[in-house]
Amino acid sequence: MAEDGAVELVRLADGASSLEVRVLGRTMPGVLTLHDHLDAEIVVTSGFARGRLDVCLAPDDLDDWSQVLEELAAGRDAAWMEDGRNPRIRFEPSRRGRAAVFTVEDVAASGTSVSVPVRLAEGWADEHLERLRRVRAAWPQEVVETSPGTYEWRR
């Protein structure tokens, strides 16, 4: 966990380029329908471009990230947050598995996109599964949807 209380969910970096997704905290703590949603930021850095976008991660986004990690670890292309609510992040691993190009597309607001290559560190997939575990431990799901549109606190 960072000093400011943020937890890095994603950190793909090779010195020259990076993609970070930092979870900052709950969107609306105590509000039943939004309690489990998390405020986060996407930060992209390269020698050419630098950008930051605010996002709101729903519980399903964390589940989807776990599936994206499985796809990437298997060497397959994957995309995360494709619902149009947040910027979409696409990943295209190299055939050798030691590098990837990620593309962040701000489809929800500006329409801007940036693609950045990054060399993947040894053990990156396991490290990211641990990052996901830390996010879930810091902000566990405390609300359950008992029927469509009906929520209650977990017991």
Side-chain angles (χ1 to χ4, degrees), residues 47-69:
F48 177 73
R50 183 178 299 249
R52 182 186 164 286
L53 294 166
D54 292 324
V55 296
C56 177
L57 300 176
D60 289 347
D61 293 325
L62 297 180
D63 295 337
D64 293 346
W65 177 237
S66 177
Q67 292 172 349
V68 166
L69 285 172

Side-chain angles (χ1 to χ4, degrees), residues 8-13 65-76 91 93 97-100 118-134:
E8 283 185 334
L9 177 61
V10 178
R11 179 158 176 72
L12 298 173
W65 177 237
S66 177
Q67 292 172 349
V68 166
L69 285 172
E70 288 179 28
E71 293 296 312
L72 292 172
R76 294 187 288 269
F91 301 88
R98 296 289 297 155
V118 65
R119 286 183 304 280
L120 299 172
E122 188 72 32
W124 69 269
D126 290 336
E127 177 185 323
H128 279 80
L129 287 171
E130 176 59 23
R131 290 175 185 276
L132 176 58
R133 188 201 64 71
R134 284 194 302 254

